[in-house]
Each structure stands twice: as C-alpha cells, then as structure tokens.
Amino acid sequence: MTRKPNIRARAAAAALFCVVAPAPLLAQQPTTAVLDPGPTGVRIAQPGVFGNYFPARGEGPHPGILLLGGSEGGLGPATLQTALALQDEGFSVLQLAYFGVPGTADSLERIPLEIFDQGLDWLGAQTGVDPNRLAVVGASKGAEAALLVATRRTDLRAVVAGMPSSVVWKGVNWARGGQSTFASWTANGVELPTMPYSAWNREEGIISVYRSVQDSSLREDAAQAAIPIERARAPILLICGQSETVWPACPMSENLATRSQEQGGPPVVILGYGDAGHFVFGPPISSESSFYSQLGMFGGSAAGNASAREDSWPRAVDFLRENTAR
C-alpha cells in the first residue's frame, strides 16, 4: 500500500471525534489504516507481533523503540512518519499494531497489555538491537498504553508520551459509533478499572466527556483508574498542548508528574505549549505540507502546533538518545 499523507487528517478526525461523540454523529465506520513500511522497513506478521519494523542503519547495536499509535488502529500514517523520523535518528523502531489487524482484536477494547510485552521482547531480540537500551513512545491512546507499559517493564530506559492520559478510559468500538462499555486494556485477562465520563456538552465538544478527570467529586474514581506511574523506573517525557480540545492532556500530565513525585516514582518532565492541541507531538511539518492547515483541528492554531512540534521533536529525540546511551 502506498503512503497517503492526506489519510492522516481524515483518520484523525474520525478517530478522535467518534471516540466519545454520541453514536448518531458517526456517519460511517472509518477504515483502519494498515500502511506498508516502505523501502526502509519490513512488515512483521507473526503470532503475537504484527507491525512495521524499521531497523537503524549502520553498525549496531542500536537502541530500540516500541512505537504506539492512537485510536486510528492498525498502522496509521502519522505513526508511520514518526517511525521513519526516529529511524533517521539512529533508532530501530517497531511500529506495533495492537488492534485492527490479523491476530488482534477488531476494536480498541480489552487489549491485553501482554501484547506490548511481546513487542518489546521481539524488538530486543533483533540483530543489531541492544536489549538493554529499549524505550517506548506513544501518542494519545498510544500514550495511555505506553505509560501503562512503563509501569510493568523495569527494563525500559525512557518513555515519551504525546497528549497523554493520567487514567485508564474505556475503549473504542467503531461498530457502535465509537463508544464502548469495556475497558481499553486488560492485564492477565482482567479489565483495568476505568474513569467514568462526564456528560456530553455540545458547546464544548469532545473534551467535555473527559472533564470528569478534573472533577473533585470523582476523586475516588480517578484514584481507582489512575495509571500507577510510581511503578515505572524509566524517566518520562510528556508533551501536551494547553489548548487541546480532545482531552485535557496538560492537566493530566500534571497529575502524572505530581503522583510520581509524591509516591517516589521516576522523574517526569512536561513540555506544554499554549497555542497547541492534539497535534502537538511528532516530527515537524512544513508550512508547505497539505496537512499544515489542519494542525489546529483539535486545539491551538496551525502555526502554534507547528511551532510546538518544531521545538518538542528535537528535545524528545535528545531525551531518548541521552537515556538510551550506552
């Protein structure tokens, strides 16, 4: 399959909007993108691991990165571009599909966290990859997953999470208009506790249902559904946009940092950008790109998101490089 950057805007709009919008607002079920890796990568399709693998060029061993996309499913274009950019920086990258592809669930519901363990174990076993220099990078729902993975894996050297969550939310089922009654994730076959949604507010839009995480009357629910970040051992970098309109990623980033500090967890660094939203994270995008004008689709302006990516991307790369150094 050829790469089609314009798919990114359509997939992102469908995925992010329909996760929490009332079912009648879903015009049609979006198609899961499963893009080919292109000339610098290879498709991996084996029991427990389906994805695109991008080995670092040159003599190794190299650090390895498990890369997780969001609710678009499969092997989407935004994550593909991130994988290629990380490969160019000297990392071996496994863009792992965790639903919507053969051998996985059809929807983002009850995804076993063990699938990420399998991906990391596979990555660490590859020729040219140093198994002692592994990191995980995720965005949106992939950031939620990445942070959960970090609480389970003491062998990780770094975590980068773009537009993260501090709690576990329910899953995504396109066949039911995007809504799900099940948790996104399971561990040992048991669903993780989830944060209840707030009521839908048409004026505020998508982010209204995620306001529950900021509701002081729901502190007990938030505590039960909280990602136990203090169990992680790897240093963590969080990137968020303060004008986000999908979910309150910056307040949730603050929650993660506070919890980690108070409970003896790893160091957490937050890069927050005022005029940016849910497209704050990823490789820089030129003003000449066809997608540039849509960067402000979920908060902030196009220029603000572009500027945030220009600033945060090299800092994320440096963070990964420094923490996965020999």
Side-chain angles (χ1 to χ4, degrees), residues 42-44 46 49 52-56 60-65 92-94 118-132 134:
V42 60
R43 170 62 48 78
I44 306 300
Q46 62 185 54
V49 179
N52 290 336
Y53 178 53
F54 303 89
H62 300 279
I65 293 180
S92 290
V93 183
L94 174 61
Q118 292 173 313
L120 281 166
D121 292 343
W122 182 92
L123 178 60
Q126 299 313 296
T127 301
V129 174
D130 187 340
N132 297 311
L134 299 178

Side-chain angles (χ1 to χ4, degrees), residues 6 21 30 70 81 99 103 108 133 146 151 167 178 180 198 209 249 251 259 261 274 292 294 299 321:
N6 62 314
Q81 297 306 313
F99 75 98
L108 205 170
R133 299 163 64 197
T151 69
V167 297
S180 174
S198 297
V209 301
R259 180 182 177 111
Q261 182 178 32
Y292 181 88
Q294 300 174 74
R321 186 172 287 123

Side-chain angles (χ1 to χ4, degrees), residues 45 48 74 194 259 271 299:
T194 58
R259 180 182 177 111
L271 300 180

Side-chain angles (χ1 to χ4, degrees), residues 21-269:
L25 296 181
L26 178 58
Q28 61 182 16
Q29 181 173 343
T31 301
T32 299
V34 185
L35 302 189
D36 290 337
T40 65
V42 60
R43 170 62 48 78
I44 306 300
Q46 62 185 54
V49 179
F50 190 107
N52 290 336
Y53 178 53
F54 303 89
R57 305 176 185 87
E59 185 177 352
H62 300 279
I65 293 180
L66 179 69
L67 179 62
L68 306 176
S71 57
E72 73 276 6
L75 300 169
T79 315
L80 174 60
Q81 297 306 313
T82 301
L84 293 170
L86 288 170
Q87 182 187 40
D88 287 342
E89 296 290 347
F91 300 98
S92 290
V93 183
L94 174 61
Q95 179 192 8
L96 182 70
Y98 51 94
F99 75 98
V101 298
T104 66
D106 292 334
S107 57
L108 205 170
E109 299 175 295
R110 295 181 287 191
I111 305 300
L113 292 178
E114 289 81 4
I115 195 172
F116 305 115
D117 293 329
Q118 292 173 313
L120 281 166
D121 292 343
W122 182 92
L123 178 60
Q126 299 313 296
T127 301
V129 174
D130 187 340
N132 297 311
R133 299 163 64 197
L134 299 178
V136 60
V137 175
S140 193
K141 287 295 287 187
E144 185 180 320
L147 292 167
L148 286 167
V149 171
T151 69
R152 296 162 48 85
R153 299 283 300 216
T154 59
D155 57 340
L156 292 177
R157 298 281 291 274
V159 179
V160 175
M163 308 85 71
S165 174
S166 58
V167 297
V168 174
W169 300 95
K170 289 195 180 297
V172 181
N173 187 316
W174 298 125
R176 294 185 176 88
Q179 299 180 33
S180 174
T181 58
F182 301 108
S184 298
W185 324 105
T186 68
N188 299 317
V190 179
E191 291 188 36
L192 273 59
T194 58
M195 186 70 192
Y197 291 127
S198 297
W200 170 268
N201 182 312
R202 184 174 293 275
E203 290 186 5
E204 191 176 27
I206 307 168
I207 198 172
S208 64
V209 301
Y210 292 108
R211 291 298 189 193
S212 57
V213 76
Q214 299 172 284
D215 187 340
S216 60
S217 69
L218 297 176
R219 286 177 181 169
E220 291 187 8
D221 297 275
Q224 186 177 34
I227 295 172
I229 199 65
E230 68 278 2
R231 297 179 190 171
R233 291 295 173 264
I236 296 169
L237 176 64
L238 306 176
I239 300 171
C240 63
Q242 295 168 357
S243 298
E244 164 108 44
T245 60
V246 174
W247 61 12
C250 280
M252 290 193 290
S253 294
E254 295 290 347
N255 290 347
L256 286 162
T258 299
R259 180 182 177 111
S260 188
Q261 182 178 32
E262 292 179 348
Q263 301 197 27
V268 177
V269 175

